[in-house]
Amino acid sequence: MGERIEVLVPEEEVNARIRALGEQISRDYAGKQIHLVCVLKGGSFFMCELAKRITVPVSLDFMSVSSYGGETKSSGVVRIVKDLDEPIQDKEVLIVEDIVDSGRTLSYLMEMLRDRKPKSLRLCTLLDKPDRRVVPVEVNYTGFQIPDAFVVGYGLDYDQRYRNLPYIGVVRFD
Ligand code: IMP
Ligand code: MG
């Protein structure tokens, strides 16, 4: 079965939107320091680009949870594969994710991080598929709302491939 990638959001549009998000976040957190928490691996490309556009002081940490295998459907199982290196108590935490789909991963993660008593806890996602939501999640910053399609690129994978595409694409099976 052949696969091809159809461009959904071109590179220039992704970069322009990330620049705008960085400006908005910098304004919202004026006078504060932001602790960016990247959800690996998908959030990594977005986090790097976003961090470069934020003008207030920033520190970074990474965590990894598993919710998908090689499939395109959510298993509903969320497991911490790698926890944060640093405590987040009293920090202004901004979670950086690639995509909110069913919302299962993020609702679990936010609940877990909230227990660690950050000063604030917000969520920034590059992509949101609102039509797919099963569990409600409050998203504070969204790059793009997209329709229900399986997307890749800019950190997002299909069976671990295509993360390095500099644009957002939809996987089509011929
Ligand atoms: P959720 O728990 O269903 O919201 O799924 C969140 C995770 O599923 C994301 O962080 C992605 O890793 C993965 N995911 C959801 N939709 C897509 C997609 O369209 N392409 C690639 N990965 C996806
Ligand atoms: Mg992810």
Side-chain angles (χ1 to χ4, degrees):
M1 190 165 60
E3 263 168 57
R4 76 199 151 77
I5 310 299
E6 206 175 272
V7 178
L8 179 68
V9 189
E11 183 173 0
E12 301 71 37
E13 272 179 50
V14 180
N15 291 337
R17 182 69 190 121
I18 295 177
R19 206 171 305 131
L21 279 175
E23 286 166 8
Q24 188 189 345
I25 290 168
S26 303
R27 280 196 300 275
D28 292 354
Y29 287 84
K32 297 174 179 168
Q33 174 165 331
I34 309 176
H35 192 60
L36 295 175
V37 166
C38 172
V39 185
L40 294 170
K41 305 169 187 156
S44 57
F45 288 72
F46 176 40
M47 150 96 118
C48 291
E49 292 305 310
L50 182 67
K52 287 193 279 182
R53 305 297 169 192
I54 295 177
T55 52
V56 299
V58 155
S59 53
L60 314 173
D61 206 346
F62 299 85
M63 73 186 303
S64 181
V65 297
S66 76
S67 58
Y68 278 79
E71 303 281 321
T72 57
K73 266 197 276 168
S74 175
S75 63
V77 179
V78 180
R79 189 169 57 91
I80 303 266
V81 178
K82 181 216 170 294
D83 205 341
L84 296 172
D85 291 339
E86 310 281 339
I88 55 166
Q89 188 167 1
D90 297 326
K91 291 181 183 166
E92 313 273 8
V93 175
L94 181 60
I95 302 176
V96 182
E97 245 294 29
D98 50 2
I99 190 164
V100 184
D101 185 26
S102 72
R104 284 192 187 98
T105 313
L106 264 301
S107 84
Y108 174 87
L109 204 66
M110 291 194 79
E111 206 169 301
M112 195 193 77
L113 295 182
R114 213 181 298 277
D115 283 347
R116 302 185 189 182
K117 308 273 184 286
K119 191 164 185 182
S120 65
L121 183 64
R122 287 178 156 194
L123 171 61
C124 178
T125 184
L126 178 59
L127 304 174
D128 186 2
K129 287 198 260 189
D131 299 345
R132 297 257 309 164
R133 201 72 90 252
V134 174
V135 182
V137 178
E138 191 196 342
V139 183
N140 304 97
Y141 302 98
T142 306
F144 301 93
Q145 288 201 340
I146 59 166
D148 178 10
F150 196 81
V151 292
V152 293
Y154 232 96
L156 290 137
D157 73 301
Y158 171 59
D159 211 1
Q160 296 307 323
R161 287 173 297 132
Y162 303 122
R163 290 192 197 274
N164 58 322
L165 295 179
Y167 53 87
I168 309 292
V170 178
V171 187
R172 301 282 182 215
F173 301 95
D174 298 318

